[in-house]
């Protein structure tokens, strides 16, 4: 029987296989039997891995991304999503380099037909522009969303899904449509069950209702092929 994950994004490698989508960097991907995974080039990893390519230009950057992150790896049956891909203006890597690596992963996600999990820090305009330019056919999910309700609504208008972790704006979690919602532990040590209990209370619904809603979302986004 297939175990459906209830936690769509975690870095906890000791999860019971199948209960969460565990994030790996491409060079470290070591799947366990029954486990579910996301694999991607995090923007924090771009600087060290792409240092020479940044000097050589855009084609070299793409070549390096292809070397690190092959189509065969993405197509692995236990890989449910690509990511974290992303944009982060608080790191030293130039944004145009991050965009190039992001574009490569987003196009690959579209080709393979798997959703994209996104790390985003202070680059909302750039991400919205990429969404409009690339016009993806697969879901894009912003993980660890901490923004205010107005920003949540802006992302929803552009077709994003939002995943909430340990820290969030209660009004944003309370007001977004149930069909666009996920929960995650990311790097938190709080159990996913506790996050579900808190989120159900914030949204004013029963725990069972919330679990059923997110289960349906996970089936629609991560298991529909």
């Amino acid at each position: 029987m297939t175990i459906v994950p209830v936690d769509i994004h975690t870095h906890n490698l000791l999860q019971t296989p199948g209960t969460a989508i565990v994030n790996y960097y491409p060079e470290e991907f070591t799947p366990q039997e029954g486990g579910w995974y996301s694999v991607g080039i995090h923007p924090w990893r771009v600087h060290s891995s792409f240092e020479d390519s940044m000097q050589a230009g855009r084609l070299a950057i793409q070549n390096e991304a292809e070397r690190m992150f092959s189509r065969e790896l993405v197509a692995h049956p236990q890989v449910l999503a690509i990511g974290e891909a992303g944009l982060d203006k608080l790191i030293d890597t130039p944004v145009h380099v991050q965009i190039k690596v992001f574009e490569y992963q987003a196009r690959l996600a579209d080709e393979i037909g798997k959703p994209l999990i996104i790390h985003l820090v202070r680059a909302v305009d750039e991400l919205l522009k990429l969404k409009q330019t690339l016009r993806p056919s697969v879901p894009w999910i912003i993980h660890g969303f901490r923004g205010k309700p107005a920003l949540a609504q802006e992302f929803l208008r552009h077709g994003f899904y939002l995943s909430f972790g340990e820290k969030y704006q209660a009004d944003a979690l309370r007001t977004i449509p149930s069909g666009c919602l996920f929960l995650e532990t990311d790097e938190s040590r709080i159990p996913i069950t506790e996050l579900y209990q808190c989120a159900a209370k914030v949204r004013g619904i029963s725990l069972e209702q919330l679990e059923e809603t997110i289960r349906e979302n996970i089936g629609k986004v991560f298991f529909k092929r």
Side-chain angles (χ1 to χ4, degrees):
M1 186 176 94
T2 299
I3 300 176
V4 176
V6 295
D7 179 349
I8 70 114
H9 182 74
T10 185
H11 293 273
N12 179 3
L13 305 182
L14 300 179
Q15 293 277 358
T16 301
T19 60
I21 299 176
V22 179
N23 185 243
Y24 267 97
Y25 303 118
E27 67 275 17
E28 299 170 355
F29 180 51
T30 52
Q32 299 180 27
E33 183 177 354
W36 300 120
Y37 303 95
S38 61
V39 182
I41 305 171
H42 194 290
W44 294 356
R45 290 288 182 110
V46 171
H47 185 273
S48 57
S49 300
F50 289 73
E51 188 169 358
D52 293 338
S53 299
M54 284 191 284
Q55 302 300 323
R58 293 174 65 87
L59 181 59
I61 293 168
Q62 179 164 325
N63 289 341
E64 177 65 12
E66 291 174 354
R67 184 191 67 78
M68 288 181 63
F69 196 42
S70 69
R71 184 184 180 92
E72 289 73 22
L73 187 157
V74 176
H76 191 287
Q78 290 174 257
V79 174
L80 296 182
I82 312 308
E84 306 168 44
L87 304 173
D88 190 330
K89 286 189 174 179
L90 292 185
I91 62 176
D92 293 335
T93 306
V95 173
H96 74 273
V97 174
Q98 296 185 48
I99 287 174
K100 189 64 178 175
V101 178
F102 181 95
E103 285 178 336
Y104 170 73
Q105 294 182 90
R107 294 183 192 280
L108 193 56
D110 236 34
E111 291 173 15
I112 298 293
K114 297 183 179 181
L116 186 70
I117 295 177
I118 298 170
H119 168 98
L120 184 68
V121 178
R122 298 188 183 180
V124 172
D125 291 344
E126 289 83 356
L127 182 64
L128 294 180
K129 184 176 180 180
L130 281 165
K131 187 99 165 28
Q132 293 172 340
T133 300
L134 297 176
R135 298 184 179 276
S137 60
V138 298
W140 282 17
I141 305 158
I142 297 177
H143 99 87
F145 182 76
R146 301 185 186 185
K148 295 180 180 179
L151 181 58
Q153 293 303 318
E154 178 71 7
F155 283 128
L156 295 173
R157 281 194 294 272
H158 285 82
F160 287 87
Y161 290 79
L162 301 178
S163 181
F164 291 75
E166 178 184 359
K167 298 178 181 179
Y168 52 79
Q169 297 276 344
D171 285 344
L173 176 59
R174 185 179 298 115
T175 59
I176 75 164
S178 59
C180 302
L181 173 65
F182 293 109
L183 294 177
E184 63 177 71
T185 54
D186 193 21
E187 295 181 341
S188 172
R189 296 188 178 184
I190 293 178
I192 190 65
T193 52
E194 186 173 329
L195 294 181
Y196 269 79
Q197 291 166 357
C198 292
K201 185 175 181 180
V202 168
R203 288 178 68 83
I205 61 175
S206 70
L207 177 60
E208 292 74 18
Q209 284 178 291
L210 181 63
E211 289 173 340
E212 179 61 25
T213 291
I214 296 183
R215 189 179 301 114
E216 290 178 359
N217 293 346
I218 288 170
K220 175 178 65 176
V221 170
F222 293 98
F223 289 93
K224 185 177 180 180
R225 294 285 183 266

